[in-house]
Amino acid sequence: MGKGLCIFGLVTAVLLLVLFGLDIATGLFRIGNIVVDIMFIICAAIVGYLSWSALREQW
């Protein structure tokens, strides 16, 4: 169960990085302003790192 949650966290972080990265690059989605997009990218990177770190400890 723990590995599944770690992988789910990684997938979610990558999807958020792609979504908000595209929003900054193209302005296609207009989800928020650039500051909000940057904050979400930083948070997604932190979640991705924590998920990767926890997954490495389980193996």
Side-chain angles (χ1 to χ4, degrees):
M1 183 68 177
K3 289 181 186 177
L5 289 175
C6 291
I7 292 171
F8 179 74
L10 280 171
V11 169
T12 304
V14 168
L15 288 176
L16 287 174
L17 281 169
V18 168
L19 178 69
F20 288 103
L22 284 174
D23 189 33
I24 286 178
T26 63
L28 183 65
F29 303 112
R30 298 285 182 216
I31 295 171
N33 59 13
I34 290 181
V35 175
V36 174
D37 290 338
I38 292 171
M39 292 304 296
F40 271 110
I41 287 173
I42 291 170
C43 291
I46 291 171
V47 169
Y49 171 74
L50 291 174
S51 296
W52 175 255
S53 177
L55 185 63
R56 269 192 340 193
E57 286 181 9
Q58 290 182 7
W59 283 358

